[in-house]
Amino acid sequence: MKKMNYILAMVALLFGVSTTSMAQETSEDYYPHNFISVQGGAQATLTHYDFMDLVTPQFAVSFGRYFNPKVGVRLHLQGYEAKGGFLKERFPGLTQDQAYTFKAITGDLDLLMNMSNIISPNRSSQRFNWILLTGFGVNYGWDFDEYKGIVKGMTAGNHFYVGPDQCGTKHSSYNGRFGTQFEYNFSRNFGINLELDANFKNDCFNLKSNFDPDWQIVALAGLTFKFGMKKKAPAPVVVPPAPVEEKPVVREEPKPEPKVEPKPEPKPVVKEEPLKETFFYTIRESDPDPETTLNKIVAWCNKYPQKGISIKGYADKGTGNPRVNVGYAKARAEKVAKALIQKGIDRSRMTVESFGDTVQPFAENDRNRCVIVVGE
């Protein structure tokens, strides 16, 4: 008993750690991705026959992909057994109600809509997802020996259903679907799900025709494995500055003051004003702002017409990827240069460079989406 309690405590601890770490991640850490899901459950067809007598086990497997946090698709294969039934009041030749079993499989292409991310796109936790789905596909049935045994010797004139004369040997039919799925992720790659679907099928899917589509209710529960997610960018390493050693104070004896001889007054020296301005950007932004910063740079260039300026663009490591970040850093630097040219500054005075996310000038990640302009 103690050993079992220890195992349960360890499982609870691991589960708590995994869900806590997921609460610190956003949808950008999970999408896009691929997934494989296996499910098991039961289904029943809605007819005049007793609902519970038509319940059969079902198994399903699906392969799919989420293109973004809101929309995905899957190929869903489901099947095993299905049931139909004959009511004795509709068939004078029967002394009791009779159900029959046959084999069936359904393949659907489904559209998945993650309503949790559609309703709340900026939510911080991805543990729970509510998904709506709709799709269309094909149903195929076989092994109708029990059905044939019941209708053997019956004619269209002595029962309500037209039966095999209407459907013949046709074993394939269309299948439409809409439903919902509730998903709980207990780690980055694994989750459990509960799915409820309503399927409408061609009347002949069970060989028994009453001239209306047949509806089928399905309940499934299963396990999902997710893969193909982008790797999380490592946090930038901030190197602390080296400590400055304090030198001992050496006291010197005062020396006699030398005689001060009058000197000619020196010419006044004009002290050059330094220039260092920084533009900061939000995610995916590349237009320089504010206007006052551009005007400061223009004023400095007009005051020192012989001086040049360096324009260096950067991107942060915490978002995007190296290929995308190179483009953002270059676009930011080039747009600052273009804005200065429009204000009358000659391009030959500018040195334009971009470093992508290979250089992080600031310790705070979001401040590294920037352009730094320095007077030379």
Side-chain angles (χ1 to χ4, degrees), residues 162-355:
V162 176
D165 293 335
Q166 174 72 15
C167 296
T169 59
K170 182 179 180 181
H171 291 204
S172 62
S173 60
Y174 67 79
N175 182 79
R177 167 184 298 157
F178 60 88
T180 188
Q181 185 181 105
F182 302 93
E183 179 184 63
Y184 186 88
N185 295 304
F186 54 85
S187 73
R188 181 177 170 84
N189 297 101
F190 288 95
I192 55 177
N193 62 74
L194 174 64
E195 182 172 333
L196 302 173
D197 296 329
N199 297 275
F200 59 95
K201 302 176 182 292
N202 182 287
D203 192 24
C204 288
F205 94 100
N206 57 5
L207 294 189
K208 185 164 65 69
S209 174
N210 62 353
F211 307 108
D212 290 315
D214 286 309
W215 285 87
Q216 205 170 61
I217 303 300
V218 183
L220 299 168
L223 177 69
T224 301
F225 170 64
K226 304 176 182 181
F227 60 98
M229 304 171 189
K230 64 181 180 181
K231 295 182 179 179
K232 292 188 289 185
V237 178
V238 180
V239 180
V244 179
E245 295 182 2
E246 295 184 0
K247 296 182 179 180
V249 179
V250 179
R251 295 184 179 181
E252 297 182 356
E253 294 295 329
K255 296 181 180 181
E257 296 182 0
K259 294 181 179 180
V260 179
E261 297 181 359
K263 295 182 179 180
E265 293 185 2
K267 295 180 180 181
V269 178
V270 179
K271 186 177 180 181
E272 180 180 318
E273 298 175 3
L275 173 68
K276 184 175 183 180
E277 298 292 337
T278 305
F279 297 84
F280 294 101
Y281 300 81
T282 59
I283 295 175
R284 303 184 189 90
E285 186 184 46
S286 60
D287 294 322
D289 187 62
E291 187 75 9
T292 54
T293 305
L294 287 170
N295 292 336
K296 288 181 182 180
I297 299 171
V298 171
W300 188 91
C301 291
N302 292 334
K303 187 173 182 179
Y304 303 101
Q306 304 301 321
K307 297 287 185 178
I309 57 174
S310 68
I311 304 171
K312 299 179 179 180
Y314 304 87
D316 68 294
K317 280 189 176 182
T319 58
N321 56 61
R323 178 180 62 80
V324 172
N325 287 340
V326 167
Y328 276 121
K330 183 177 179 181
R332 289 164 182 162
E334 290 291 345
K335 286 187 178 182
V336 170
K338 183 178 179 181
L340 292 173
I341 292 172
Q342 291 174 348
K343 289 181 176 291
I345 307 303
D346 196 287
R347 176 68 185 233
S348 62
R349 298 178 62 185
M350 306 176 193
T351 302
V352 182
E353 300 176 88
S354 62
F355 298 90

Side-chain angles (χ1 to χ4, degrees), residues 41-269:
Q43 73 169 17
T45 305
L46 302 180
T47 68
H48 296 282
Y49 209 82
D50 190 334
F51 177 85
M52 295 305 297
D53 287 343
L54 299 183
V55 175
T56 57
Q58 292 291 292
F59 302 96
V61 61
S62 58
F63 308 88
R65 177 173 177 81
Y66 273 95
F67 305 104
N68 54 55
K70 300 177 181 178
V71 178
V73 296
R74 73 175 184 181
L75 176 61
H76 188 265
L77 300 176
Q78 170 200 318
Y80 179 49
E81 285 187 349
K83 277 188 177 182
F86 292 93
L87 293 173
K88 64 180 181 180
E89 59 264 25
R90 295 192 171 213
F91 294 85
L94 297 178
T95 58
Q96 61 181 4
D97 297 341
Q98 292 192 30
Y100 61 93
T101 303
F102 61 97
K103 297 293 191 295
I105 187 169
T106 301
D108 268 44
L109 183 63
D110 296 329
L111 173 67
L112 310 174
M113 294 166 287
N114 190 322
M115 300 304 297
S116 298
N117 288 332
I118 292 174
I119 295 172
S120 180
N122 298 319
R123 64 195 183 111
S124 59
S125 173
Q126 296 293 309
R127 283 182 291 178
F128 178 79
N129 290 310
W130 169 40
I131 299 160
L132 293 182
L133 59 95
T134 183
F136 196 82
V138 177
N139 178 84
Y140 183 80
W142 71 98
D143 194 6
F144 287 96
D145 291 343
E146 291 186 17
Y147 171 86
K148 294 175 182 178
I150 295 173
V151 302
K152 186 177 182 181
M154 302 176 74
T155 66
N158 67 357
H159 59 80
F160 177 79
Y161 298 104
V162 176
D165 293 335
Q166 174 72 15
C167 296
T169 59
K170 182 179 180 181
H171 291 204
S172 62
S173 60
Y174 67 79
N175 182 79
R177 167 184 298 157
F178 60 88
T180 188
Q181 185 181 105
F182 302 93
E183 179 184 63
Y184 186 88
N185 295 304
F186 54 85
S187 73
R188 181 177 170 84
N189 297 101
F190 288 95
I192 55 177
N193 62 74
L194 174 64
E195 182 172 333
L196 302 173
D197 296 329
N199 297 275
F200 59 95
K201 302 176 182 292
N202 182 287
D203 192 24
C204 288
F205 94 100
N206 57 5
L207 294 189
K208 185 164 65 69
S209 174
N210 62 353
F211 307 108
D212 290 315
D214 286 309
W215 285 87
Q216 205 170 61
I217 303 300
V218 183
L220 299 168
L223 177 69
T224 301
F225 170 64
K226 304 176 182 181
F227 60 98
M229 304 171 189
K230 64 181 180 181
K231 295 182 179 179
K232 292 188 289 185
V237 178
V238 180
V239 180
V244 179
E245 295 182 2
E246 295 184 0
K247 296 182 179 180
V249 179
V250 179
R251 295 184 179 181
E252 297 182 356
E253 294 295 329
K255 296 181 180 181
E257 296 182 0
K259 294 181 179 180
V260 179
E261 297 181 359
K263 295 182 179 180
E265 293 185 2
K267 295 180 180 181
V269 178

